[in-house]
Amino acid sequence: MSPASFMRVIAAISAIAGGLYGYDTGIISGALLQISRDFSLGSTGSELVASAILIGAVIGSLACTRMSATLGRRRTIMIVAAIYTFGVIACSLSPNAWALAIARLILGFAVGGSTQIVPTYIAELAPPEMRGRLVTYFCVSIGLGILAAAIVGVALQDVFTWRWMIGIAALPSLLLLLGMTRLPFSPRWLVEQDRVREARETLLQVRETPQEVREEMADIKDVFARKAAAADHGWRGLLQPWVRPALVAGLGVAAFTQLTGIEMMIYYTPTFLSKAGFGHGAALYAALGVAIVYLVMTFTGKMIVDHVGRRHLPMYTLPFAALALFGMAAVFQWNLGGHYHGALVVTCLLVYMCFNSVGIQAVAWLLGSEVYPLSIRDKATGAHSATLWGANVLCTATALTMVDTLGVGGAMVVYGLLNVVGFIFVVRCLPETAGRSLEQIERALKEGTFDPKHMNKVLRGPAAAQTGT
């Protein structure tokens, strides 16, 4: 197998965790209608069951930072896969709403842990020119999981109970656990453990030439030597002034990935469309359309992110996502469209999904895997994942209440404004990292050139290898 092919296999197997994340979070959209009926849940109870997995994800994001640093990225992913298996089985056997919420909290630990470690694992193995496409396997896998959840929620709504809908995810979690046993350790983690020879052998499996391996090993050892000499390695290291631009860029994008409303749409499309007068079947099919668009557009983002760039992709798309939400708000607020009212609502919804998915959703986990320097990478990726999931908790736990208070139209205005704020943030705070090695990005932070002004160009091929900024 060629190095490029082996690298794709590594990305594909480890990205199964993304599919589990997408399915386990997305299945609640179709299952919640059944769960609410079985356990007699109101809006608050539904929000608790839906958001419990997100609270667990925040905990898992932070807890797995130490695990990934001590046990390694590969072993941590295997542990997370085992927790996934236990969590979905516990959810499927829950006797009441509280037990289900606790089981989803445990499942959330695995979700958060996987989002903290899998993109980092892929990024630390991938060559710079392929890193964007390979890390976004994780994003595409999330889309596949969400689509599978939507298909199960629609096609099997009257065949499967919600217990089977959730429990079937144990199968891919076991596949992830077994698949990871055949994959290599991260070479950067191996160098950190003073296992330099193993790191070199690993890089030889995923790089085209020995010269590339020699140059990359020199860079890795240089950065690790600086880390060893640094005073702050742990959480205090996040407070160092030179890493602040990376934290602002990474954590800001992580927050806006959720604050712009994507997960709210995935979780609650059937629920809030039902509140707006859509029939049960029509609401579920709309959720299926949302899942299909999410998958297609995140795959599109994967294909173009290394060419368009991490900064330009959300910068070009967030304004159109905001306009789609404002359009949906107008349709709901003034009951526009007459006989075509429902079609107009769904059109605005799908347009929003197109532009939000291909842009900021395609780069969120990618940026978290590449902008943070080695000395704080474990802690920073944990903070990145926790920030994303914390914002997700905020949106999910308040979405139905906001719809009840402001109406669907008013809620869409709020989310539209958050897309506008996200666009302003990207323009002002997010530099371009495409084509640069992880070590080159770290040098830019050290030199004070990690900003949109100095890093506004997408680097490709030999140019990426020759520049140090």
Side-chain angles (χ1 to χ4, degrees), residues 88-220:
V88 295
I89 292 173
C91 285
S92 66
L93 298 176
S94 297
N96 54 52
W98 282 107
L100 178 59
I102 293 170
R104 280 177 62 80
L105 189 75
I106 295 170
L107 185 58
F109 183 96
V111 171
S114 67
T115 56
Q116 183 266 332
I117 196 58
V118 171
T120 301
Y121 173 71
I122 299 172
E124 289 187 346
L125 279 157
E129 68 276 7
M130 294 177 64
R131 191 173 61 243
R133 296 191 296 279
L134 290 171
V135 174
T136 48
Y137 269 61
F138 185 72
C139 303
V140 173
S141 185
I142 293 171
L144 285 169
I146 292 170
L147 178 58
I151 291 172
V152 169
V154 173
L156 302 177
Q157 183 72 206
D158 298 323
V159 178
F160 279 2
T161 66
W162 62 265
R163 297 181 187 278
W164 280 103
M165 290 181 185
I166 294 174
I168 199 172
L171 297 178
S173 64
L174 289 172
L175 179 61
L176 172 63
L177 178 59
L178 295 174
M180 289 303 301
T181 63
R182 309 296 297 174
L183 300 188
F185 289 98
S186 160
R188 286 161 174 85
W189 181 79
L190 288 170
V191 170
E192 194 169 2
Q193 305 305 308
D194 200 26
R195 295 161 63 178
V196 177
R197 181 177 178 180
E198 291 177 63
R200 184 177 291 106
E201 290 172 353
T202 296
L203 281 177
L204 284 169
Q205 296 178 66
V206 293
R207 296 294 183 270
E208 296 293 339
T209 65
Q211 178 65 22
E212 288 180 79
V213 174
R214 284 192 292 271
E215 292 174 357
E216 191 162 347
M217 283 297 299
D219 268 349
I220 293 171

Side-chain angles (χ1 to χ4, degrees), residues 201-454:
E201 290 172 353
T202 296
L203 281 177
L204 284 169
Q205 296 178 66
V206 293
R207 296 294 183 270
E208 296 293 339
T209 65
Q211 178 65 22
E212 288 180 79
V213 174
R214 284 192 292 271
E215 292 174 357
E216 191 162 347
M217 283 297 299
D219 268 349
I220 293 171
K221 287 190 282 188
D222 176 59
V223 169
F224 176 70
R226 296 186 189 187
K227 174 187 175 180
D232 293 318
H233 297 168
W235 289 105
R236 287 186 308 169
L238 301 182
L239 302 178
Q240 298 172 96
W242 70 275
V243 304
R244 192 173 301 139
L247 287 174
V248 170
L251 300 186
V253 168
F256 280 111
T257 300
Q258 302 304 313
L259 294 177
T260 50
I262 191 80
E263 299 286 358
M264 180 274 299
M265 293 293 189
I266 292 168
Y267 299 155
Y268 292 132
T269 290
T271 303
F272 76 69
L273 288 183
S274 296
K275 287 176 179 288
F278 280 66
H280 177 79
L284 287 174
Y285 276 105
L288 178 59
V290 163
I292 292 171
V293 169
Y294 183 91
L295 173 60
V296 170
M297 298 314 293
T298 51
F299 182 79
T300 302
K302 162 188 158 44
M303 299 304 295
I304 65 176
V305 68
D306 281 325
H307 302 284
V308 178
R310 283 64 154 154
R311 179 173 186 261
H312 295 99
L313 206 51
M315 190 171 71
Y316 295 152
T317 54
L318 279 172
F320 294 100
L323 287 173
L325 289 178
F326 291 142
M328 194 190 309
V331 172
F332 275 113
Q333 194 68 31
W334 293 298
N335 199 27
L336 302 179
H339 293 300
Y340 300 101
H341 174 80
L344 203 53
V345 168
V346 173
T347 298
C348 291
L349 173 63
L350 296 182
V351 169
Y352 159 78
M353 289 298 299
C354 279
F355 286 105
N356 194 279
S357 301
V358 77
I360 197 165
Q361 303 304 318
V363 304
W365 296 115
L366 171 58
L367 282 166
S369 71
E370 65 184 12
V371 298
Y372 304 120
L374 181 64
S375 61
I376 61 161
R377 185 167 298 152
D378 292 311
K379 300 297 186 293
T381 54
H384 185 98
S385 184
T387 298
L388 191 147
W389 288 114
N392 198 334
V393 171
L394 178 63
C395 287
T396 305
T398 59
L400 294 182
T401 302
M402 188 185 300
V403 169
D404 289 342
T405 304
L406 303 177
V408 178
M412 294 305 107
V413 169
V414 172
Y415 290 117
L417 290 173
L418 286 169
N419 277 264
V420 172
V421 176
F423 166 75
I424 295 170
F425 174 84
V426 168
V427 170
R428 294 179 61 88
C429 301
L430 183 62
E432 184 56 68
T433 56
R436 294 164 172 85
S437 73
L438 300 181
E439 289 69 35
Q440 289 165 353
I441 293 169
E442 182 161 342
R443 287 197 191 98
L445 282 164
K446 287 281 191 181
E447 296 166 3
T449 58
F450 186 85
D451 57 68
K453 178 181 177 182
H454 289 92

